[in-house]
Amino acid sequence: MALAAALLYNAYFCGRCRRHKALQPLLGPLLSDSVSKSYSSYRRPGSQPEKKTTWQDVNLSFKKSIEVLKTQLSMLKKETEDHLVGPGGQSLTHYMLEQTRVVWEFRGQEDLNKWVISSDVEIGGKSEVYLKLGRNNQTALLYGILNTEVPRDGETKYSGYCSMRSKPLVGSFARKKYYDWSNFNSLYLRVRGDGRPWMVNIYTDPYFSHQKDDLYNYFMFTRGGPYWEEIKIPFSKFFISSRGRVQDDQHPIWLDKISTLGFTIGDKVNGPFQLEIDFIGLLNDRAHTEEFAYEKYERNPPL
């Protein structure tokens, strides 16, 4: 943590049956894979949907319910205490003066458990992706083989991607929470790639949107080789792609409503890949004053 902070300074069970909705906040934590299933809900064209509902697989016991209730109440107590202290459990003075923050670092299996990996296997593809601890258990190593062969289902036209995405924050009683990065203006990470380009993805849940979430992207080009790279990505350089347009003044990135962050490789090149990550953090670069990095066009200009 100290090394990561120094380097930064230098530069979250939806039941389908209505009679279970009242128990949703309590039943949600009992489903160990309820969060991960949200990442693999894709059903291949022509395949039959599951006839058995999710709640029918729940093996609910009274003793386990009491234990879960105690855990959720304890989490609620901790959240209330942190809220009374200040933003994110920090004092107001510390929050206002904070210039760096390490959000994710990889020093054990519990750190890897905060992430989910996926590939085109979910749509019938043949790419492979794995995530493990790096040398000396001090980094995360994302590696695999990219395969652009299109599945023969008569529907899919493109294939060949692998990704790594953070699990969304979940509060007490399965409440959805968000990352608040409004106090920073740049994403800062220390990585070691193999020369292939990666797409950094930020998912947000804006206040005014009929979409599930907005997706902002930035292409990160690694240089390869044995040396580490310290990459600073200002939020002004992320472009929004979920609605086929770029970020602008009317559609800014909501830094206080960050849902998840992810990395995707899909450069249409067959072969092995790897990305080693030391930490992912935030930086408030006071020298960076850029609001938007791309050319703007006036909408409906006067004639």
Side-chain angles (χ1 to χ4, degrees):
M1 175 68 75
L3 174 61
L7 290 172
L8 278 171
Y9 185 77
N10 294 335
Y12 201 100
F13 151 58
C14 292
R16 298 179 183 176
C17 185
R18 292 185 177 180
R19 61 192 175 95
H20 287 268
K21 285 187 177 180
L23 296 176
Q24 177 180 341
L26 184 58
L27 293 176
L30 298 180
L31 302 178
S32 59
D33 59 343
S34 60
V35 175
S36 62
K37 283 185 177 181
S38 63
Y39 291 93
S40 58
S41 59
Y42 179 87
R43 181 166 53 89
R44 291 188 59 187
S47 62
Q48 296 296 326
E50 295 183 3
K51 297 181 179 180
K52 195 174 182 180
T53 56
T54 305
W55 63 269
Q56 289 177 321
D57 294 329
V58 178
N59 184 15
L60 184 62
S61 65
F62 180 76
K63 180 179 179 180
K64 189 174 182 180
S65 300
I66 296 300
E67 293 176 354
V68 170
L69 180 59
K70 290 181 180 179
T71 302
Q72 299 304 312
L73 289 176
S74 176
M75 293 176 59
L76 181 60
K77 178 182 177 181
K78 179 65 167 57
E79 292 172 358
T80 303
E81 292 175 348
D82 290 344
H83 181 75
L84 294 176
V85 171
Q90 302 173 344
S91 64
L92 184 60
T93 302
H94 184 276
Y95 177 79
M96 295 298 294
L97 298 178
E98 189 178 23
Q99 293 187 349
T100 62
R101 180 190 301 176
V102 177
V103 185
W104 294 281
E105 62 179 354
F106 304 93
R107 302 296 182 265
Q109 186 60 41
E110 62 277 6
D111 296 323
L112 296 185
N113 294 339
K114 299 177 182 178
W115 295 78
V116 174
I117 58 175
S118 63
S119 69
D120 54 33
V121 171
E122 298 181 352
I123 61 172
K126 297 184 179 181
S127 296
E128 301 176 16
V129 61
Y130 308 94
L131 179 64
K132 69 175 185 179
L133 288 173
R135 184 176 299 180
N136 299 324
N137 296 338
Q138 295 295 304
T139 61
L141 182 61
L142 180 67
Y143 66 99
I145 299 176
L146 200 67
N147 192 325
T148 60
E149 183 177 344
V150 179
R152 299 179 180 180
D153 54 15
E155 296 287 341
T156 308
K157 297 181 180 179
Y158 306 99
S159 185
Y161 73 88
C162 295
S163 67
M164 166 184 174
R165 181 175 177 180
S166 64
K167 292 182 179 180
L169 286 176
V170 182
S172 58
F173 297 96
R175 294 181 299 107
K176 189 174 182 180
K177 298 177 64 177
Y178 304 95
Y179 295 100
D180 185 358
W181 297 351
S182 56
N183 202 33
F184 306 90
N185 59 14
S186 301
L187 187 69
Y188 197 91
L189 53 158
R190 187 169 184 256
V191 302
R192 180 160 57 182
D194 56 1
R196 302 182 69 162
W198 289 79
M199 179 178 286
V200 184
N201 312 306
I202 294 181
Y203 300 81
T204 68
D205 192 358
Y207 294 98
F208 309 103
S209 176
H210 64 280
Q211 302 282 348
K212 182 179 179 180
D213 53 13
D214 280 345
L215 174 59
Y216 294 84
N217 314 102
Y218 178 82
F219 287 100
M220 177 180 70
F221 295 90
T222 59
R223 65 190 178 195
Y227 301 107
W228 288 92
E229 295 179 70
E230 297 176 18
I231 300 178
K232 183 184 73 170
I233 310 175
F235 292 127
S236 60
K237 294 187 180 297
F238 280 85
F239 60 92
I240 183 169
S241 64
S242 60
R243 300 185 211 168
R245 52 170 169 73
V246 297
Q247 173 191 353
D248 52 31
D249 293 335
Q250 303 299 322
H251 306 88
I253 179 171
W254 298 94
L255 293 176
D256 58 340
K257 301 285 284 185
I258 302 296
S259 176
T260 58
L261 181 139
F263 301 88
T264 301
I265 184 171
D267 56 2
K268 300 181 180 181
V269 178
N270 293 321
F273 65 87
Q274 76 172 40
L275 179 68
E276 192 171 5
I277 308 174
D278 184 5
F279 68 87
I280 303 171
L282 304 170
L283 173 68
N284 185 10
D285 186 0
R286 303 185 185 278
H288 183 81
T289 58
E290 181 182 64
E291 297 181 0
F292 186 62
Y294 305 96
E295 186 176 0
K296 298 180 180 180
Y297 297 91
E298 185 178 356
R299 296 183 177 181
N300 299 324
L303 298 177

